[in-house]
Amino acid sequence: MIKVAKFGGSSLADAAQFRKVADIVKSDSNRRYVVASAPGKRNSHDEKVTDLLLQCYHLAKDKKDIGEIFERICNRYRDIIADLQLDFSLEEDFNNIKTSVLHHAGRHYVASRGEYLNSKILAKYLGFAFIDAEDCVFFDSADRFMPEKTNAAMKELLSLHEYAVIPGFYGVNTDGSIRTFSRGGSDITGSIVAAAANADLYENWTDVSGMLMADPRIIENPLPIPEITYRELRELSYMGATVLHEDAIFPVRKAGIPINIRNTNIPEAPGTMIVPKAVTNEVDTVITGVAGKKGITAIHVEKDMMNSEVGFGRKVLEVLENHTVPFEHLPSGIDTMSVLVSSKAIEECKGAITAEMVKAVNPDSITLVENLALIAVVGRGMVNTQGTAARVFTALAKENINIRMIDQGSSELNIIVAVEEKNYEKTINTIYKEFVK
Ligand code: ASP
């Protein structure tokens, strides 16, 4: 059995966290490959090393002094090394990196050094080999990640080491320069390593005990989700419930490897298992989770006999396509069609869009309703349970929340309602309370 364990920035923010990580890794000899982030915040006022590095990059670009901030970065690592009493020095690396920054090294290179340095310390501390991501994570000349080439090289390097630490977040471009994934991208590296290692499990260690059924900023102490399928996760993350970088899902999902979200600070908690197929669809709470997003605009298009007009929908959507605006949802009725889009995406072009839609389909009316929020009730348990929609609607009606639109996915995995933004929190609260007693 092989487990790949990725530790996030807060799990590796200082020496005390390194000790917890080592205890976790050493407690299970199957944890063979470890992917590390850069040191994150030690408390809420602290700064992430990646952010400090990016500050250095911008200062150097503006020909300003990087000395003070660069020293702060080095001290973060020096403190960890000293506290762990390692016979090890990164001074040469610090000098090389500083010189590169001063010589205007690329932004990606500078941002990536947080992971590089932290992984070297962790490898030393664990007694594992250090595999540099620049030798096995590849991007093409257009900066697109290259999955096949990466997988082959990664497989080969991993096969040379029984135990290894690999820095997250970055790889190398065809021209030899360092290229990073988007922020939070160490999750992606972890997933790539898990797929290449043919792992049985990808553990993602962070500072929460898994995914929660609802946003803890809205619901006090929401229940954790013990098990969630990839599809449910996709529905909830689309609505903004984030626990993993979105691009981290694909490599392991494709390989059928489950992900276990765990808490470095409470290692005994089982966390959340993200699985291709759940052991059971009988979920006690019926719903797996509820999530949502604000900032939605509905474009309502009405025309008599619309349903018999071939190509109507295409023409409406083509207008959005020409403005490169994606649509979020498309609830439609007889002679009405509503296109839900992100308000931000049409901010600059709403006038043009409505005018072009009028021209394209000559509707009886076209109206824009702004300041809406979408809320998704997600759960595989809903498929075999009758009355879930009725429970949602009745609960909302009792609270006098006006539902502006309803959409149920064909998979029966979700029910999506649109409400006015001002009712967003109240809607989530009402739905959560209805299902979680
Ligand atoms: N250190 C990077 C960031 O702060 C990548 C990561 O932690 O996953 O975004």
Side-chain angles (χ1 to χ4, degrees):
M1 144 109 57
I2 297 181
K3 292 182 186 172
V4 169
K6 179 261 167 178
F7 291 90
S10 59
S11 302
L12 290 165
D14 59 20
Q17 292 300 87
F18 265 71
R19 287 195 186 90
K20 292 184 192 167
V21 167
D23 285 345
I24 291 166
V25 174
K26 296 287 171 146
S27 69
D28 183 348
S29 59
N30 295 320
R31 294 193 174 112
R32 298 208 1 223
Y33 302 116
V34 175
V35 175
S37 280
K41 293 184 184 188
R42 290 162 294 188
N43 52 62
S44 55
H45 311 291
D46 203 10
E47 280 171 300
K48 294 180 175 189
V49 162
T50 310
D51 290 325
L52 295 174
L53 285 162
L54 285 167
Q55 281 182 43
C56 282
Y57 165 78
H58 288 292
L59 287 173
K61 202 168 150 226
D62 297 342
K63 302 203 165 51
K64 291 190 179 138
D65 183 34
I66 65 163
E68 191 262 320
I69 294 182
F70 196 79
E71 209 43 28
R72 252 158 62 198
I73 297 171
C74 299
N75 284 338
R76 295 278 306 254
Y77 294 107
R78 287 185 187 120
D79 287 350
I80 296 172
I81 295 171
D83 198 332
L84 297 177
Q85 297 180 335
L86 294 176
D87 178 20
F88 176 69
S89 163
L90 285 173
E91 297 305 319
E92 204 182 311
D93 278 310
F94 295 153
N95 284 335
N96 292 340
I97 294 168
K98 190 170 184 183
T99 309
S100 304
V101 178
L102 292 172
H103 285 86
H104 306 295
R107 191 171 66 85
H108 291 260
Y109 165 83
V110 180
S112 74
R113 295 303 88 185
E115 272 62 19
Y116 168 81
L117 294 166
N118 224 22
S119 299
K120 279 185 121 177
I121 302 179
L122 187 60
K124 176 78 186 170
Y125 188 47
L126 294 172
F128 284 16
F130 169 77
I131 297 181
D132 198 340
E134 74 169 73
D135 298 325
C136 49
V137 177
F138 299 104
F139 294 86
D140 68 14
S141 52
D143 282 342
R144 281 174 306 225
F145 171 60
M146 298 170 82
E148 281 88 21
K149 188 174 173 193
T150 299
N151 193 53
M154 180 79 78
K155 256 191 167 57
E156 201 176 322
L157 275 179
L158 294 178
S159 72
L160 303 175
H161 304 281
E162 203 177 348
Y163 293 94
V165 176
I166 303 108
F169 192 37
Y170 71 94
V172 71
N173 200 319
T174 29
D175 66 7
S177 62
I178 296 289
R179 154 88 205 171
T180 59
F181 292 110
S182 56
R183 293 300 302 267
S186 296
D187 284 343
I188 310 175
T189 312
S191 181
I192 294 165
V193 174
N198 241 329
D200 300 275
L201 185 63
Y202 170 30
E203 291 179 333
N204 194 291
W205 291 84
T206 168
D207 53 8
V208 289
S209 296
M211 272 193 88
L212 302 170
M213 283 188 70
D215 187 338
R217 288 167 299 187
I218 300 174
I219 307 287
E220 208 180 318
N221 288 325
L223 290 180
I225 303 176
E227 190 181 45
I228 183 169
T229 64
Y230 277 117
R231 288 195 55 189
E232 289 172 305
L233 176 70
R234 168 83 183 113
E235 306 259 355
L236 286 174
S237 17
Y238 174 74
M239 284 292 172
T242 47
V243 66
L244 270 181
H245 192 297
E246 227 185 316
D247 295 341
I249 309 215
F250 186 68
V252 274
R253 182 175 182 174
K254 193 167 163 235
I257 301 168
I259 307 174
N260 190 193
I261 311 284
R262 298 283 291 266
N263 190 344
T264 303
N265 305 316
I266 313 176
E268 59 283 4
T272 298
M273 280 297 274
I274 305 167
V275 293
K277 203 172 172 333
V279 179
T280 173
N281 285 340
E282 309 279 320
V283 183
D284 286 346
T285 49
V286 180
I287 66 168
T288 301
V290 51
K293 55 179 162 191
K294 293 182 177 176
I296 298 290
T297 295
I299 308 170
H300 295 298
V301 190
E302 245 188 274
K303 189 178 184 185
D304 241 6
M305 304 304 282
M306 166 200 297
N307 280 39
S308 55
E309 196 174 317
V310 176
F312 190 94
R314 178 185 53 75
K315 286 180 209 154
V316 169
L317 294 180
E318 209 168 37
V319 173
L320 291 179
E321 193 178 343
N322 291 341
H323 287 272
T324 53
V325 173
F327 71 87
E328 308 272 336
H329 282 280
L330 203 59
S332 63
I334 300 163
D335 296 340
T336 65
M337 172 175 174
S338 302
V339 193
L340 303 189
V341 293
S342 135
S343 310
K344 214 163 153 227
I346 57 158
E347 204 173 359
E348 311 266 280
C349 53
K350 43 186 179 196
I353 283 179
T354 32
E356 285 165 39
M357 282 185 183
V358 168
K359 210 164 148 213
V361 293
N362 189 25
D364 298 334
S365 79
I366 180 161
T367 30
L368 246 63
V369 181
E370 302 187 278
N371 303 323
L372 293 176
L374 287 176
I375 286 128
V377 188
V378 175
R380 62 189 184 280
M382 296 179 348
V383 180
N384 298 319
T385 316
Q386 273 151 25
T388 313
R391 282 177 73 182
V392 172
F393 303 145
T394 311
L396 295 180
K398 268 195 200 143
E399 290 296 325
N400 292 322
I401 297 170
N402 184 17
I403 304 175
R404 302 296 301 260
M405 248 164 296
I406 302 165
D407 195 3
Q408 177 168 34
S410 54
S411 60
E412 284 186 55
L413 210 64
N414 66 28
I415 296 166
I416 294 171
V417 293
V419 297
E420 278 166 42
E421 246 174 24
K422 63 175 197 299
N423 285 328
Y424 175 72
E425 283 82 7
K426 195 173 169 192
T427 304
I428 296 208
N429 238 304
T430 306
I431 295 172
Y432 182 83
K433 294 230 173 76
E434 171 61 31
F435 290 93
V436 184
K437 298 292 177 203

